[in-house]
Amino acid sequence: MRTTGLIGVIAAGATVLAACGSSSGTAGADSVTIVLNTPSGKMPFIGTFTQQGAKLAADEINKAGGITVGGKKYQVKLLALDNGLSSTTSMDNVKRAVSEKAVAIIDDGYTARDTAKIAGDAGIPIMVDWDTTAELIDPTARPNVYRIAPPNDSLSEHLAAYVAPKGLKLAIVHDDTEYADDGVKHLTEDFGKANARFDADIELPSSATGYATQALQAKQSGATGIVLWAQAPALAQFVKDYRAGGGTAKIFSGANAEDPIVRSQNADHPEYIEGLTYATFRITTEGGPEAWNAFRGKYEDAALNNGEGEEKLDFKTPKGRTVVQPPDWQIFPYDMVYLVKAALEKAGTVDTSGNKLIDALNGITIKSANGDNRGWTKDLHEGVVDDDIYFASFVDMKFKPVQDDPLSKTLPPLDQE
């Protein structure tokens, strides 16, 4: 069954954005607002999966009668705002969330360090569904920031254990963001513990439009393995420039490699990403794929990625290849909306002052869309556990679990047709 082609992903962002600007509940009904603060323009995949997952949950809740808080019914209203990857814009968005008396913010995470205090002063939780920077989640420094996404320290530890025994001559290539600084720190430590080292360290300027110079450096280093840690646009461009320049090393990365921009930007040469392997969260659970399949069915029934006319077409590359993205990351914002619902019901109020909602979030558990138990505690604000990291590799423009890792080889490949 076809899921989301790239044009579907981007077009859906605009469609869902419009829908999120107003309450999706009954006209005139009391509502609670959840703000979606993401870089929809610069990183459309993040904005779109956040809007889609949150809207699917909000619509389900509203159709079932809403959220009962203190004996009163509330509909869920979503307000999607584009932060442009700008801390200033993001702070303005969070100030708006405060003025709108929002009960929660679902956020990509890249600017959450700068906005945590503004939201925290109003008792509003920020829930991160993308940025994997390990140091971002700190219950002491940022008690109102939570995450459901695999953190860098877990990804790095598993990647080192997987890659180091292969005996490759390694180079680390990374961009110049805080996300990469955090990743390089953990990767250097974990590969060192695994008796492996990086013989070359190459930085990609985020402001650059191409990386031919850095690709040549990587090639001339003699590396037979490259660990690539960067935000998705830079990651995609480096792979393209490195392969176009004749680079043949095996490439390993983190969860950002799944962003469809990596495939779409290299789709005129599918061989460029063939074998690109990355660490990410397991989509199905040890209980089997039934819960995931049910979630996917609900997502497709909701037709969140269907546009009008040409927008219904999948993205066709110059060679006729299709980029299809299953709705796996949509699980996280979907779960977050249900966690907010459970916290509001536990708190018995829609007033976030005095950390009432944050206190309620610290100790609730829901059943995730993929069948996991999902929740946070006062001291643990991570929603993906270390044991849920697996490895996927691109084969013929589709990602599939690798077969040389004990956990990964037990997982079913996802339909990407």
Side-chain angles (χ1 to χ4, degrees):
M1 183 181 295
R2 186 165 302 289
T3 311
T4 308
L6 186 64
I7 282 184
V9 167
I10 296 175
T15 302
V16 177
L17 183 65
C20 288
S22 60
S23 173
S24 54
T26 305
D30 289 305
S31 63
V32 290
T33 298
I34 298 175
V35 168
L36 314 179
N37 182 44
T38 62
S40 304
K42 291 191 173 181
M43 292 185 171
F45 174 57
I46 301 174
T48 300
F49 83 68
T50 299
Q51 293 164 27
Q52 289 175 333
K55 186 174 189 302
L56 183 59
D59 285 349
E60 288 178 357
I61 291 168
N62 291 341
K63 288 175 183 176
I67 304 174
T68 302
V69 182
K72 188 174 180 179
K73 290 282 189 181
Y74 294 85
Q75 296 277 285
V76 179
K77 175 182 175 180
L78 302 177
L79 177 61
L81 303 175
D82 190 335
N83 62 38
L85 286 178
S86 161
S87 291
T88 300
T89 302
S90 204
M91 286 190 284
D92 288 340
N93 290 348
V94 172
K95 289 175 184 176
R96 181 174 174 186
V98 173
S99 69
E100 296 272 353
K101 298 189 183 302
V103 295
I105 297 167
I106 300 178
D107 197 288
D108 61 277
Y110 284 137
T111 58
R113 288 176 185 267
D114 301 312
T115 60
K117 187 176 187 306
I118 299 171
D121 287 346
I124 300 174
I126 294 177
M127 300 175 291
V128 175
D129 66 357
W130 179 255
D131 184 8
T132 61
T133 302
E135 275 67 28
L136 173 62
I137 304 303
D138 184 335
T140 300
R142 287 175 287 279
N144 64 317
V145 180
Y146 303 79
R147 174 164 51 203
I148 308 178
N152 279 351
D153 49 358
S154 295
L155 295 171
S156 171
E157 182 179 2
H158 283 76
L159 198 61
Y162 178 69
V163 174
K166 298 182 184 299
L168 301 170
K169 179 179 173 63
L170 297 171
I172 188 166
V173 178
H174 56 89
D175 65 19
D176 54 5
T177 62
E178 286 185 4
Y179 158 78
D181 289 344
D182 179 77
V184 169
K185 170 189 169 184
H186 290 288
L187 289 163
T188 302
E189 291 176 355
D190 290 331
F191 273 77
K193 291 176 184 176
N195 296 317
R197 66 175 187 177
F198 298 114
D199 293 316
D201 183 327
I202 300 168
E203 184 171 276
L204 308 174
S206 297
S207 59
T209 57
Y211 298 115
T213 299
Q214 291 81 4
L216 180 60
Q217 285 180 269
K219 184 180 176 183
Q220 291 179 337
S221 75
T224 56
I226 291 175
V227 177
L228 178 55
W229 215 260
Q231 292 182 351
L235 192 157
Q237 187 62 46
F238 177 80
V239 170
K240 185 173 187 176
D241 290 342
Y242 178 71
R243 294 300 189 209
T248 59
K250 297 179 183 295
I251 300 178
F252 304 91
S253 192
N256 282 0
E258 194 184 319
D259 188 315
I261 194 175
V262 176
R263 279 161 285 164
S264 63
Q265 197 160 320
N266 289 280
D268 53 343
H269 286 281
E271 68 276 11
Y272 286 179
I273 64 162
E274 190 77 6
L276 168 59
T277 300
Y278 60 98
T280 188
F281 65 97
R282 61 183 293 173
I283 301 161
T284 57
T285 71
E286 60 273 11
E290 289 77 14
W292 151 255
N293 289 337
F295 171 77
R296 183 172 185 162
K298 290 192 297 184
Y299 168 85
E300 296 194 0
D301 288 344
L304 293 174
N305 60 311
N306 288 353
E308 296 293 332
E310 291 184 359
E311 292 178 358
K312 294 177 109 175
L313 298 175
D314 289 315
F315 179 77
K316 296 294 182 182
T317 73
K319 291 188 177 182
R321 303 307 301 272
T322 302
V323 175
V324 176
Q325 177 63 33
D328 52 353
W329 285 88
Q330 284 85 341
I331 290 172
F332 296 163
Y334 178 93
D335 287 352
M336 288 171 176
V337 173
Y338 273 100
L339 282 162
V340 171
K341 174 181 181 291
L344 287 169
E345 291 171 343
K346 179 181 178 182
T349 178
V350 298
D351 178 9
T352 62
S353 65
N355 290 336
K356 299 181 188 73
L357 184 58
I358 291 171
D359 289 342
L361 272 177
N362 293 328
I364 56 171
T365 302
I366 65 164
K367 185 65 68 175
S368 168
N370 72 350
D372 274 334
N373 290 321
R374 191 84 74 194
W376 299 294
T377 67
K378 183 178 180 180
D379 299 319
L380 181 62
H381 288 192
E382 297 282 12
V384 174
V385 300
D386 292 354
D387 291 344
D388 282 345
I389 305 300
Y390 90 109
F391 301 98
S393 183
F394 288 113
V395 179
D396 194 27
M397 294 286 282
K398 304 178 181 74
F399 59 86
K400 299 180 179 179
V402 301
Q403 297 302 296
D404 57 349
D405 169 70
L407 172 61
S408 304
K409 70 180 182 181
T410 68
L411 302 177
L414 300 187
D415 176 22
Q416 293 163 65
E417 298 296 339

PDB file of all heavy atoms in Angstrom, residues 293-317:
ATOM      1  N   ASN A 293       0.786  -1.878  12.492  1.00  0.00           N
ATOM      2  CA  ASN A 293      -0.061  -2.024  11.312  1.00  0.00           C
ATOM      3  C   ASN A 293      -1.412  -1.349  11.505  1.00  0.00           C
ATOM      4  O   ASN A 293      -1.970  -0.744  10.578  1.00  0.00           O
ATOM      5  CB  ASN A 293      -0.255  -3.504  10.982  1.00  0.00           C
ATOM      6  CG  ASN A 293       0.997  -4.161  10.438  1.00  0.00           C
ATOM      7  OD1 ASN A 293       1.880  -3.477   9.899  1.00  0.00           O
ATOM      8  ND2 ASN A 293       1.115  -5.469  10.598  1.00  0.00           N
ATOM      9  N   ALA A 294      -1.953  -1.440  12.718  1.00  0.00           N
ATOM     10  CA  ALA A 294      -3.235  -0.796  13.004  1.00  0.00           C
ATOM     11  C   ALA A 294      -3.098   0.725  12.932  1.00  0.00           C
ATOM     12  O   ALA A 294      -3.962   1.421  12.384  1.00  0.00           O
ATOM     13  CB  ALA A 294      -3.744  -1.221  14.373  1.00  0.00           C
ATOM     14  N   PHE A 295      -1.989   1.252  13.485  1.00  0.00           N
ATOM     15  CA  PHE A 295      -1.750   2.695  13.419  1.00  0.00           C
ATOM     16  C   PHE A 295      -1.599   3.145  11.974  1.00  0.00           C
ATOM     17  O   PHE A 295      -2.181   4.150  11.549  1.00  0.00           O
ATOM     18  CB  PHE A 295      -0.496   3.058  14.216  1.00  0.00           C
ATOM     19  CG  PHE A 295      -0.055   4.484  14.031  1.00  0.00           C
ATOM     20  CD1 PHE A 295      -0.717   5.504  14.683  1.00  0.00           C
ATOM     21  CD2 PHE A 295       1.006   4.790  13.190  1.00  0.00           C
ATOM     22  CE1 PHE A 295      -0.318   6.835  14.505  1.00  0.00           C
ATOM     23  CE2 PHE A 295       1.399   6.107  13.003  1.00  0.00           C
ATOM     24  CZ  PHE A 295       0.737   7.130  13.665  1.00  0.00           C
ATOM     25  N   ARG A 296      -0.850   2.391  11.214  1.00  0.00           N
ATOM     26  CA  ARG A 296      -0.649   2.757   9.813  1.00  0.00           C
ATOM     27  C   ARG A 296      -1.969   2.752   9.053  1.00  0.00           C
ATOM     28  O   ARG A 296      -2.220   3.618   8.209  1.00  0.00           O
ATOM     29  CB  ARG A 296       0.340   1.786   9.159  1.00  0.00           C
ATOM     30  CG  ARG A 296       0.664   2.128   7.712  1.00  0.00           C
ATOM     31  CD  ARG A 296       1.786   1.276   7.178  1.00  0.00           C
ATOM     32  NE  ARG A 296       2.145   1.691   5.847  1.00  0.00           N
ATOM     33  CZ  ARG A 296       3.285   1.382   5.249  1.00  0.00           C
ATOM     34  NH1 ARG A 296       4.168   0.652   5.895  1.00  0.00           N
ATOM     35  NH2 ARG A 296       3.541   1.788   4.027  1.00  0.00           N
ATOM     36  N   GLY A 297      -2.812   1.777   9.364  1.00  0.00           N
ATOM     37  CA  GLY A 297      -4.120   1.723   8.720  1.00  0.00           C
ATOM     38  C   GLY A 297      -4.953   2.955   9.040  1.00  0.00           C
ATOM     39  O   GLY A 297      -5.612   3.527   8.163  1.00  0.00           O
ATOM     40  N   LYS A 298      -4.931   3.398  10.318  1.00  0.00           N
ATOM     41  CA  LYS A 298      -5.679   4.595  10.701  1.00  0.00           C
ATOM     42  C   LYS A 298      -5.116   5.834   9.996  1.00  0.00           C
ATOM     43  O   LYS A 298      -5.870   6.704   9.550  1.00  0.00           O
ATOM     44  CB  LYS A 298      -5.614   4.793  12.220  1.00  0.00           C
ATOM     45  CG  LYS A 298      -6.390   3.765  13.014  1.00  0.00           C
ATOM     46  CD  LYS A 298      -6.535   4.160  14.471  1.00  0.00           C
ATOM     47  CE  LYS A 298      -5.226   4.252  15.197  1.00  0.00           C
ATOM     48  NZ  LYS A 298      -5.411   4.549  16.647  1.00  0.00           N
ATOM     49  N   TYR A 299      -3.807   5.892   9.898  1.00  0.00           N
ATOM     50  CA  TYR A 299      -3.156   7.023   9.237  1.00  0.00           C
ATOM     51  C   TYR A 299      -3.580   7.092   7.770  1.00  0.00           C
ATOM     52  O   TYR A 299      -3.938   8.153   7.253  1.00  0.00           O
ATOM     53  CB  TYR A 299      -1.640   6.874   9.363  1.00  0.00           C
ATOM     54  CG  TYR A 299      -0.846   7.807   8.486  1.00  0.00           C
ATOM     55  CD1 TYR A 299      -0.552   9.096   8.916  1.00  0.00           C
ATOM     56  CD2 TYR A 299      -0.386   7.399   7.241  1.00  0.00           C
ATOM     57  CE1 TYR A 299       0.180   9.959   8.113  1.00  0.00           C
ATOM     58  CE2 TYR A 299       0.341   8.251   6.431  1.00  0.00           C
ATOM     59  CZ  TYR A 299       0.628   9.529   6.869  1.00  0.00           C
ATOM     60  OH  TYR A 299       1.340  10.380   6.067  1.00  0.00           O
ATOM     61  N   GLU A 300      -3.548   5.955   7.098  1.00  0.00           N
ATOM     62  CA  GLU A 300      -3.894   5.956   5.677  1.00  0.00           C
ATOM     63  C   GLU A 300      -5.385   6.192   5.467  1.00  0.00           C
ATOM     64  O   GLU A 300      -5.782   6.854   4.504  1.00  0.00           O
ATOM     65  CB  GLU A 300      -3.419   4.656   5.031  1.00  0.00           C
ATOM     66  CG  GLU A 300      -1.904   4.540   5.083  1.00  0.00           C
ATOM     67  CD  GLU A 300      -1.344   3.463   4.170  1.00  0.00           C
ATOM     68  OE1 GLU A 300      -2.136   2.790   3.491  1.00  0.00           O
ATOM     69  OE2 GLU A 300      -0.118   3.328   4.137  1.00  0.00           O
ATOM     70  N   ASP A 301      -6.213   5.684   6.377  1.00  0.00           N
ATOM     71  CA  ASP A 301      -7.649   5.938   6.276  1.00  0.00           C
ATOM     72  C   ASP A 301      -7.956   7.432   6.434  1.00  0.00           C
ATOM     73  O   ASP A 301      -8.904   7.948   5.834  1.00  0.00           O
ATOM     74  CB  ASP A 301      -8.418   5.150   7.336  1.00  0.00           C
ATOM     75  CG  ASP A 301      -8.469   3.655   7.038  1.00  0.00           C
ATOM     76  OD1 ASP A 301      -8.182   3.267   5.883  1.00  0.00           O
ATOM     77  OD2 ASP A 301      -8.788   2.878   7.959  1.00  0.00           O
ATOM     78  N   ALA A 302      -7.149   8.108   7.243  1.00  0.00           N
ATOM     79  CA  ALA A 302      -7.358   9.545   7.447  1.00  0.00           C
ATOM     80  C   ALA A 302      -6.913  10.368   6.248  1.00  0.00           C
ATOM     81  O   ALA A 302      -7.264  11.550   6.140  1.00  0.00           O
ATOM     82  CB  ALA A 302      -6.609  10.009   8.697  1.00  0.00           C
ATOM     83  N   ALA A 303      -6.150   9.760   5.337  1.00  0.00           N
ATOM     84  CA  ALA A 303      -5.709  10.422   4.097  1.00  0.00           C
ATOM     85  C   ALA A 303      -5.034  11.768   4.373  1.00  0.00           C
ATOM     86  O   ALA A 303      -5.272  12.743   3.670  1.00  0.00           O
ATOM     87  CB  ALA A 303      -6.895  10.598   3.140  1.00  0.00           C
ATOM     88  N   LEU A 304      -4.181  11.800   5.395  1.00  0.00           N
ATOM     89  CA  LEU A 304      -3.543  13.050   5.769  1.00  0.00           C
ATOM     90  C   LEU A 304      -2.547  13.541   4.724  1.00  0.00           C
ATOM     91  O   LEU A 304      -2.195  14.714   4.703  1.00  0.00           O
ATOM     92  CB  LEU A 304      -2.835  12.893   7.116  1.00  0.00           C
ATOM     93  CG  LEU A 304      -3.754  12.672   8.314  1.00  0.00           C
ATOM     94  CD1 LEU A 304      -2.937  12.386   9.554  1.00  0.00           C
ATOM     95  CD2 LEU A 304      -4.641  13.876   8.545  1.00  0.00           C
ATOM     96  N   ASN A 305      -2.070  12.639   3.861  1.00  0.00           N
ATOM     97  CA  ASN A 305      -1.096  13.039   2.860  1.00  0.00           C
ATOM     98  C   ASN A 305      -1.724  13.232   1.490  1.00  0.00           C
ATOM     99  O   ASN A 305      -1.012  13.377   0.494  1.00  0.00           O
ATOM    100  CB  ASN A 305       0.020  11.991   2.760  1.00  0.00           C
ATOM    101  CG  ASN A 305      -0.514  10.617   2.374  1.00  0.00           C
ATOM    102  OD1 ASN A 305      -1.473  10.152   2.974  1.00  0.00           O
ATOM    103  ND2 ASN A 305       0.089   9.972   1.396  1.00  0.00           N
ATOM    104  N   ASN A 306      -3.038  13.233   1.393  1.00  0.00           N
ATOM    105  CA  ASN A 306      -3.686  13.398   0.091  1.00  0.00           C
ATOM    106  C   ASN A 306      -3.940  14.873  -0.197  1.00  0.00           C
ATOM    107  O   ASN A 306      -4.607  15.563   0.555  1.00  0.00           O
ATOM    108  CB  ASN A 306      -5.022  12.647   0.055  1.00  0.00           C
ATOM    109  CG  ASN A 306      -4.817  11.140  -0.011  1.00  0.00           C
ATOM    110  OD1 ASN A 306      -3.694  10.676  -0.153  1.00  0.00           O
ATOM    111  ND2 ASN A 306      -5.896  10.403   0.108  1.00  0.00           N
ATOM    112  N   GLY A 307      -3.399  15.339  -1.321  1.00  0.00           N
ATOM    113  CA  GLY A 307      -3.665  16.701  -1.750  1.00  0.00           C
ATOM    114  C   GLY A 307      -4.662  16.720  -2.890  1.00  0.00           C
ATOM    115  O   GLY A 307      -5.374  15.752  -3.141  1.00  0.00           O
ATOM    116  N   GLU A 308      -4.696  17.836  -3.587  1.00  0.00           N
ATOM    117  CA  GLU A 308      -5.594  17.971  -4.731  1.00  0.00           C
ATOM    118  C   GLU A 308      -4.788  17.856  -6.014  1.00  0.00           C
ATOM    119  O   GLU A 308      -3.683  18.358  -6.127  1.00  0.00           O
ATOM    120  CB  GLU A 308      -6.299  19.339  -4.692  1.00  0.00           C
ATOM    121  CG  GLU A 308      -7.210  19.526  -3.480  1.00  0.00           C
ATOM    122  CD  GLU A 308      -8.407  18.607  -3.509  1.00  0.00           C
ATOM    123  OE1 GLU A 308      -8.841  18.237  -4.611  1.00  0.00           O
ATOM    124  OE2 GLU A 308      -8.910  18.255  -2.426  1.00  0.00           O
ATOM    125  N   GLY A 309      -5.364  17.224  -7.016  1.00  0.00           N
ATOM    126  CA  GLY A 309      -4.749  17.148  -8.339  1.00  0.00           C
ATOM    127  C   GLY A 309      -3.350  16.579  -8.303  1.00  0.00           C
ATOM    128  O   GLY A 309      -3.123  15.480  -7.809  1.00  0.00           O
ATOM    129  N   GLU A 310      -2.384  17.359  -8.782  1.00  0.00           N
ATOM    130  CA  GLU A 310      -1.015  16.876  -8.887  1.00  0.00           C
ATOM    131  C   GLU A 310      -0.404  16.596  -7.529  1.00  0.00           C
ATOM    132  O   GLU A 310       0.558  15.844  -7.414  1.00  0.00           O
ATOM    133  CB  GLU A 310      -0.154  17.896  -9.644  1.00  0.00           C
ATOM    134  CG  GLU A 310      -0.518  18.011 -11.127  1.00  0.00           C
ATOM    135  CD  GLU A 310       0.420  18.942 -11.853  1.00  0.00           C
ATOM    136  OE1 GLU A 310       1.326  19.493 -11.199  1.00  0.00           O
ATOM    137  OE2 GLU A 310       0.259  19.109 -13.064  1.00  0.00           O
ATOM    138  N   GLU A 311      -0.952  17.194  -6.471  1.00  0.00           N
ATOM    139  CA  GLU A 311      -0.398  16.966  -5.139  1.00  0.00           C
ATOM    140  C   GLU A 311      -0.587  15.527  -4.694  1.00  0.00           C
ATOM    141  O   GLU A 311       0.034  15.088  -3.733  1.00  0.00           O
ATOM    142  CB  GLU A 311      -1.043  17.919  -4.135  1.00  0.00           C
ATOM    143  CG  GLU A 311      -0.645  19.376  -4.360  1.00  0.00           C
ATOM    144  CD  GLU A 311      -1.321  20.308  -3.387  1.00  0.00           C
ATOM    145  OE1 GLU A 311      -2.115  19.821  -2.566  1.00  0.00           O
ATOM    146  OE2 GLU A 311      -1.071  21.518  -3.438  1.00  0.00           O
ATOM    147  N   LYS A 312      -1.462  14.788  -5.382  1.00  0.00           N
ATOM    148  CA  LYS A 312      -1.682  13.398  -5.006  1.00  0.00           C
ATOM    149  C   LYS A 312      -0.579  12.496  -5.560  1.00  0.00           C
ATOM    150  O   LYS A 312      -0.473  11.343  -5.194  1.00  0.00           O
ATOM    151  CB  LYS A 312      -3.043  12.927  -5.519  1.00  0.00           C
ATOM    152  CG  LYS A 312      -4.217  13.640  -4.852  1.00  0.00           C
ATOM    153  CD  LYS A 312      -5.524  13.191  -5.433  1.00  0.00           C
ATOM    154  CE  LYS A 312      -6.278  12.344  -4.449  1.00  0.00           C
ATOM    155  NZ  LYS A 312      -7.612  11.986  -4.942  1.00  0.00           N
ATOM    156  N   LEU A 313       0.223  13.045  -6.475  1.00  0.00           N
ATOM    157  CA  LEU A 313       1.275  12.239  -7.100  1.00  0.00           C
ATOM    158  C   LEU A 313       2.439  12.040  -6.154  1.00  0.00           C
ATOM    159  O   LEU A 313       2.792  12.927  -5.389  1.00  0.00           O
ATOM    160  CB  LEU A 313       1.780  12.923  -8.376  1.00  0.00           C
ATOM    161  CG  LEU A 313       0.762  13.119  -9.500  1.00  0.00           C
ATOM    162  CD1 LEU A 313       1.400  13.905 -10.626  1.00  0.00           C
ATOM    163  CD2 LEU A 313       0.255  11.777 -10.011  1.00  0.00           C
ATOM    164  N   ASP A 314       3.066  10.862  -6.245  1.00  0.00           N
ATOM    165  CA  ASP A 314       4.305  10.656  -5.517  1.00  0.00           C
ATOM    166  C   ASP A 314       5.416  11.385  -6.239  1.00  0.00           C
ATOM    167  O   ASP A 314       5.326  11.701  -7.423  1.00  0.00           O
ATOM    168  CB  ASP A 314       4.640   9.153  -5.446  1.00  0.00           C
ATOM    169  CG  ASP A 314       3.696   8.420  -4.514  1.00  0.00           C
ATOM    170  OD1 ASP A 314       3.444   8.930  -3.422  1.00  0.00           O
ATOM    171  OD2 ASP A 314       3.210   7.343  -4.893  1.00  0.00           O
ATOM    172  N   PHE A 315       6.493  11.657  -5.504  1.00  0.00           N
ATOM    173  CA  PHE A 315       7.615  12.361  -6.104  1.00  0.00           C
ATOM    174  C   PHE A 315       8.344  11.451  -7.081  1.00  0.00           C
ATOM    175  O   PHE A 315       8.826  10.386  -6.713  1.00  0.00           O
ATOM    176  CB  PHE A 315       8.590  12.823  -5.018  1.00  0.00           C
ATOM    177  CG  PHE A 315       9.793  13.541  -5.536  1.00  0.00           C
ATOM    178  CD1 PHE A 315       9.694  14.848  -5.945  1.00  0.00           C
ATOM    179  CD2 PHE A 315      11.014  12.905  -5.623  1.00  0.00           C
ATOM    180  CE1 PHE A 315      10.799  15.524  -6.431  1.00  0.00           C
ATOM    181  CE2 PHE A 315      12.124  13.561  -6.115  1.00  0.00           C
ATOM    182  CZ  PHE A 315      12.010  14.884  -6.514  1.00  0.00           C
ATOM    183  N   LYS A 316       8.411  11.859  -8.323  1.00  0.00           N
ATOM    184  CA  LYS A 316       9.114  11.094  -9.346  1.00  0.00           C
ATOM    185  C   LYS A 316      10.454  11.765  -9.645  1.00  0.00           C
ATOM    186  O   LYS A 316      10.513  12.949  -9.949  1.00  0.00           O
ATOM    187  CB  LYS A 316       8.289  11.005 -10.631  1.00  0.00           C
ATOM    188  CG  LYS A 316       6.967  10.255 -10.472  1.00  0.00           C
ATOM    189  CD  LYS A 316       7.182   8.792 -10.172  1.00  0.00           C
ATOM    190  CE  LYS A 316       5.854   8.053 -10.075  1.00  0.00           C
ATOM    191  NZ  LYS A 316       6.027   6.641  -9.743  1.00  0.00           N
ATOM    192  N   THR A 317      11.512  11.016  -9.557  1.00  0.00           N
ATOM    193  CA  THR A 317      12.836  11.548  -9.834  1.00  0.00           C
ATOM    194  C   THR A 317      13.070  11.524 -11.337  1.00  0.00           C
ATOM    195  O   THR A 317      12.281  10.959 -12.088  1.00  0.00           O
ATOM    196  CB  THR A 317      13.899  10.666  -9.164  1.00  0.00           C
ATOM    197  OG1 THR A 317      13.996   9.449  -9.907  1.00  0.00           O
ATOM    198  CG2 THR A 317      13.525  10.365  -7.730  1.00  0.00           C
TER     199      THR A 317
END
